[in-house]
Amino acid sequence: MKHLITIILAVIAFVPVPAQNGEIRRFPQDPTRENPQAYKTFDVVTLLDSISVNVQPTGSGSFAVYKAFKVLSEKGAVDNRAIIYDYDPLTAFAEFKYATIYRAGGEVENLDVTKACDYAAPARAIFWGARQIMLETGQLRPGDIVEYEIAKKGFTYALLNSLDDDSRFIPPMRGQFYDIVPFWVDEPTVRKIYKVSVPMEKELQFQFYQGECTSSMRYENEMKSYTFFVENAMPFKREPNMVDLFDAAPKLFMSSTPKWENKSLWFHNVNEEYGSFNALPEAQKKVDELIKGKKTEMEKIAVLTHWVADNIRYSGISMGKGEGYTLHNTQMNYTDRCGVCKDIAGMLISFLRMAGFEAYPAMTMAGSRVESIPADHFNHCVAVVKLSDGTYMPLDPTWVPFCRELWSSAEQQQNYLPGVPEGSDILLTPVSPPENHYIRINANNSLDEKGTLRGQFTITAEGQSDRNIRNVFTQGWQTEWQNLMEQQILAVSPKAKLISVDYGKNPKDYQSAPIQITFRYEIPDYAVPGKSELLFKPMVMNNLYSAVQSHLRINTDLEKREYDFKDACSRLVELSETIQLPKGYKLVSDSREKAKKSDSADFEGFIKQEGNRIKLYQKLALKKRVYDASEWSDFREVVNAHKSFGEYIVIKN
């Protein structure tokens, strides 16, 4: 605790508080006493949030995690009945050093940290033995202050390490240290500190993004000590559909690795030395069977990628050697037919090599940006294959099961680092044009004077739109198909009657052609009758397959955005409908037409009457997955224009 106090003594005022063993704990001045109104809407205020790290020459770190917070409300008391801290026993060890409660009435209660629980952390899909330590604070009351410290030893990610000694705490890229520190807060924080001390011979590069902090470097005890802190931080204000917090909120990145090329080469070498992609006779037989008759390199790459994507199940269990950065070998992956992203990617790399291709693993971050500072901000593993023109093509079998793509466009504009023999810098996946992900609905309907709608519509889709529609066929029970199709019509009206569904080709056969489904239906009371008039919505805009159009769920009420925002994927939506009207009925409002073009989004559409028919057409092109905040105005305008064509139509006799 002394090294934490040293950091802050010279720069902030303190209130001494008696603690255990005769020591004096020191907090920053409690701001709620001087200005209680400023905190009346909050449940907790953090007085000090501090992490101090001492890095060994091996790259292993000893962390002192300290926090002191004050309870402001009954909810804050309930929410903090237990202190919980996550760690991975494969690479780290964590324990409570002490915990003290300073009661509002002046009493001091030292919690018995020997009663802390260490248990398996809740998990889903990946079961690698992550754990949590938990210490119960018991009943708290507004005004109580809780202070605790956790000691942690180790690093963040695992490789091939023995569990019988301290070697498991040494990072896989031995001697290198990195850390990624979120500096945003979820509750008012008087002071947030991060300090790291490294050996004198170790160089450490760093950058603070998306905000400001006070920083310094000092020579202390034959170490170089870097300190970063912010004061009076307030909770980060989020916006709907904004990018990940790591891409918008304050954060600190640091690394002793000089550049990404060093990490790329290391990642390549560690897997080659382990033999992750060595050929296996049984797997070679399957590869030969799959590529037989395939003429071009893309045909071969496609059939191998699809087989791996469709046949290796996602299930993360501890498989011994080969966790973390090292990919399990071909024999394990082909035999078990299951694993996490790195196992599925590793299986594809092995298949590609057995087919004569040059292929390697790559690391990526699904969900947020990877910065130029080579701190390992990765959560996903993919593959790259070298094409005949010498370029590398990314492949992601984990994200494309039963999908017509080889690289999921839900990952466009995403950074990745290939582990190639020549080394590589961080790369960025390209934008996928919206026409690669079209969804088209073409409806022909007739409306009678009683308001009954009869007709049919055909939906076709490609790319990610195809996958979203096809999921019910490739991942569900065939006995449920009819019910699921009926639900699409019932979403339009609870009185709808599904007459027939024509799937065309087998909808499970995703490789032969884009999805195409034709519905025939009858919907009594579809239009609301009035005096010599009918009120109704266009069928194609009335909750039809809206679940696969994620732009409809983006809140367009905001006039301006401060932060970048994202959609699920680039997309082209093309809707057309012809509605035959009862004899003598005419459109009450004038025909209307709208068009808008921009770099980020386009729209064109019209509604008009021709004879006894109303015709509707619209085409919406959303050109990216991730958008700059400056593009919000154009995006919002075209999406709102698209939605406006779903307003009620009035026809009158």
Side-chain angles (χ1 to χ4, degrees):
M1 189 53 201
K2 290 181 179 179
H3 54 278
L4 291 175
I5 295 173
T6 302
I7 299 171
I8 56 181
L9 272 173
V11 288
I12 196 164
F14 295 91
V15 175
V17 182
Q20 55 190 8
N21 303 324
E23 297 182 37
I24 298 294
R25 300 295 179 201
R26 300 177 183 271
F27 307 119
Q29 198 72 258
D30 180 1
T32 65
R33 295 181 178 179
E34 297 178 0
N35 189 8
Q37 286 298 110
Y39 298 89
K40 66 179 182 179
T41 60
F42 297 103
D43 300 307
V44 168
V45 59
T46 295
L47 302 176
L48 179 60
D49 181 352
S50 175
I51 298 175
S52 181
V53 191
N54 278 303
V55 180
Q56 303 302 312
T58 61
S60 177
S62 297
F63 295 73
V65 180
Y66 171 89
K67 189 171 184 179
F69 64 88
K70 181 178 181 179
V71 177
L72 301 181
S73 71
E74 295 292 346
K75 183 179 184 303
V78 172
D79 290 345
N80 289 278
R81 286 178 298 178
I83 304 165
I84 300 175
Y85 187 80
D86 294 272
Y87 75 99
D88 184 348
L90 286 174
T91 62
F93 170 77
E95 65 178 355
F96 283 95
K97 296 295 289 184
Y98 73 86
T100 304
I101 302 174
Y102 304 98
R103 299 293 184 183
E107 304 90 351
V108 177
E109 181 180 345
N110 297 315
L111 300 180
D112 185 354
V113 295
T114 64
K115 293 183 178 180
C117 299
D118 188 316
Y119 57 94
R124 180 175 63 87
I126 300 178
F127 306 96
W128 279 358
R131 299 192 68 80
Q132 294 178 330
I133 53 174
M134 180 180 75
L135 182 64
E136 199 172 357
T137 57
Q139 184 178 5
L140 298 175
R141 300 177 182 85
D144 290 349
I145 293 175
V146 179
E147 175 196 45
Y148 65 87
E149 182 177 339
I150 293 170
K152 174 186 169 184
K153 181 178 182 180
F155 64 99
T156 307
Y157 292 102
L159 185 64
L160 298 177
N161 290 309
S162 168
L163 296 180
D164 56 4
D165 57 35
D166 277 5
S167 65
R168 76 181 190 272
F169 300 137
I170 299 173
M173 199 171 177
R174 189 182 182 94
Q176 300 299 321
F177 172 82
Y178 76 89
D179 209 349
I180 300 167
V181 187
F183 258 80
W184 66 84
V185 297
D186 294 322
E187 57 202 26
T189 300
V190 178
R191 171 160 284 226
K192 185 175 178 68
I193 301 173
Y194 180 88
K195 179 180 179 181
V196 57
S197 299
V198 300
M200 293 290 286
E201 69 276 8
K202 197 177 292 295
E203 296 295 331
L204 190 65
Q205 56 181 318
F206 63 86
Q207 186 166 344
F208 197 88
Y209 294 88
Q210 294 143 193
E212 296 181 351
C213 76
T214 300
S215 62
S216 68
M217 195 280 281
R218 296 285 187 270
Y219 298 110
E220 299 176 357
N221 302 319
E222 299 183 354
M223 302 275 278
K224 288 188 288 190
S225 294
Y226 300 80
T227 303
F228 308 85
F229 68 86
V230 296
E231 290 183 310
N232 300 318
M234 298 302 286
F236 188 84
K237 294 182 179 179
R238 295 168 171 83
E239 293 175 344
N241 304 102
M242 66 180 287
V243 293
D244 189 83
L245 282 175
F246 276 101
D247 295 347
K251 64 182 181 181
L252 170 67
F253 274 47
M254 57 178 55
S255 176
S256 63
T257 305
K259 53 186 179 178
W260 280 119
E261 285 84 349
N262 300 101
K263 188 70 176 185
S264 171
L265 286 168
W266 172 84
F267 187 46
H268 167 76
N269 291 335
V270 78
N271 282 288
E272 298 302 323
E273 291 168 5
Y274 182 60
S276 297
F277 317 116
N278 291 347
L280 182 72
E282 308 94 278
Q284 183 70 63
K285 183 178 178 181
K286 172 56 71 173
V287 169
D288 295 341
E289 172 192 320
L290 291 169
I291 65 175
K292 185 178 180 179
K294 301 297 184 290
K295 304 295 185 183
T296 68
E297 64 178 359
M298 287 311 302
E299 287 179 328
K300 295 177 181 178
I301 291 170
V303 72
L304 296 175
T305 302
H306 287 312
W307 188 92
V308 171
D310 297 351
N311 289 276
I312 308 298
R313 295 165 296 163
Y314 194 95
S315 179
I317 59 175
S318 182
M319 299 180 181
K321 287 188 174 184
E323 306 299 358
Y325 290 105
T326 303
L327 281 63
H328 290 124
N329 60 37
T330 308
Q331 182 173 7
M332 179 178 288
N333 291 332
Y334 190 72
T335 302
D336 292 351
R337 302 288 175 92
C338 72
V340 292
C341 55
K342 66 187 182 65
D343 305 307
I344 302 171
M347 186 76 267
L348 177 57
I349 294 163
S350 299
F351 266 36
L352 289 165
R353 290 192 180 188
M354 285 184 277
F357 291 97
E358 206 175 313
Y360 305 98
M363 297 178 285
T364 184
M365 182 65 190
S368 62
R369 188 175 64 240
V370 178
E371 306 292 0
S372 58
I373 297 289
D376 293 17
H377 195 189
F378 301 116
N379 64 0
H380 189 39
C381 183
V382 297
V384 294
V385 60
K386 196 171 190 177
L387 303 179
S388 56
D389 63 3
T391 61
Y392 285 109
M393 175 183 179
L395 304 166
D396 188 356
T398 303
W399 278 36
V400 294
F402 310 108
C403 178
R404 290 173 56 77
E405 291 193 292
L406 301 180
W407 172 270
S408 170
S409 291
E411 299 175 276
Q412 60 187 292
Q413 298 162 273
Q414 184 168 299
N415 297 109
Y416 67 103
L417 181 70
V420 292
E422 65 272 24
S424 174
D425 198 355
I426 281 287
L427 303 176
L428 183 69
T429 61
V431 170
S432 182
E435 55 267 23
N436 291 347
H437 310 282
Y438 66 77
I439 175 171
R440 297 188 175 110
I441 305 178
N442 184 1
N444 284 287
N445 295 311
S446 64
L447 189 66
D448 66 22
E449 60 277 1
K450 294 181 179 179
T452 298
L453 188 76
R454 297 179 180 87
Q456 69 175 47
F457 75 83
T458 298
I459 183 167
T460 58
E462 179 60 292
Q464 286 297 304
S465 298
D466 174 285
R467 182 187 186 185
N468 289 335
I469 293 170
R470 199 186 295 267
N471 272 347
V472 298
F473 306 113
T474 57
Q475 300 183 26
W477 298 101
Q478 188 165 343
T479 53
E480 291 295 314
W481 289 4
Q482 183 71 14
N483 288 337
L484 293 169
M485 297 302 98
E486 193 171 52
Q487 287 175 22
Q488 292 296 335
I489 300 298
L490 291 173
V492 174
S493 168
K495 295 183 178 182
K497 300 174 184 178
L498 180 62
I499 296 171
S500 67
V501 180
D502 182 0
Y503 300 116
K505 296 184 177 181
N506 179 3
K508 296 180 72 171
D509 180 13
Y510 68 93
Q511 295 187 51
S512 62
I515 189 80
Q516 178 174 307
I517 312 172
T518 299
F519 295 76
R520 294 177 179 84
Y521 44 83
E522 177 180 301
I523 310 177
D525 301 322
Y526 183 79
V528 179
K531 187 175 181 180
S532 301
E533 62 186 16
L534 292 170
L535 176 73
F536 63 94
K537 282 188 176 184
M539 174 74 170
V540 294
M541 292 294 296
N542 194 5
N543 209 30
L544 194 60
Y545 273 100
S546 59
V548 299
Q549 301 182 59
S550 59
H551 60 278
L552 296 175
R553 299 189 294 276
I554 293 179
N555 182 357
T556 54
D557 292 339
L558 290 175
E559 292 187 6
K560 293 183 179 180
R561 280 185 175 272
E562 185 174 350
Y563 305 109
D564 298 347
F565 62 101
K566 58 185 177 181
D567 195 359
C569 183
S570 52
R571 182 182 305 106
L572 176 69
V573 180
E574 197 166 5
L575 306 175
S576 61
E577 182 173 0
T578 299
I579 309 166
Q580 183 172 326
L581 305 180
K583 186 177 180 179
Y585 278 78
K586 294 186 180 298
L587 187 64
V588 171
S589 61
D590 294 332
S591 299
R592 62 190 180 101
E593 187 173 349
K594 185 172 180 62
K596 164 75 176 178
K597 286 189 176 292
S598 71
D599 292 338
S600 57
D602 297 341
F603 178 81
E604 58 178 292
F606 64 79
I607 295 178
K608 60 184 178 180
Q609 183 167 353
E610 292 182 353
N612 69 335
R613 290 179 172 85
I614 290 178
K615 290 191 174 182
L616 175 145
Y617 173 80
Q618 61 167 293
K619 184 178 180 180
L620 172 71
L622 303 175
K623 302 179 182 180
K624 297 181 180 181
R625 181 181 71 90
V626 182
Y627 298 84
D628 296 337
S630 61
E631 297 173 303
W632 174 243
S633 177
D634 292 331
F635 183 94
R636 177 176 182 257
E637 183 178 347
V638 301
V639 171
N640 282 340
H642 167 67
K643 292 177 180 178
S644 73
F645 277 72
E647 295 171 356
Y648 280 98
I649 294 173
V650 179
I651 58 174
K652 193 165 186 177
N653 191 356

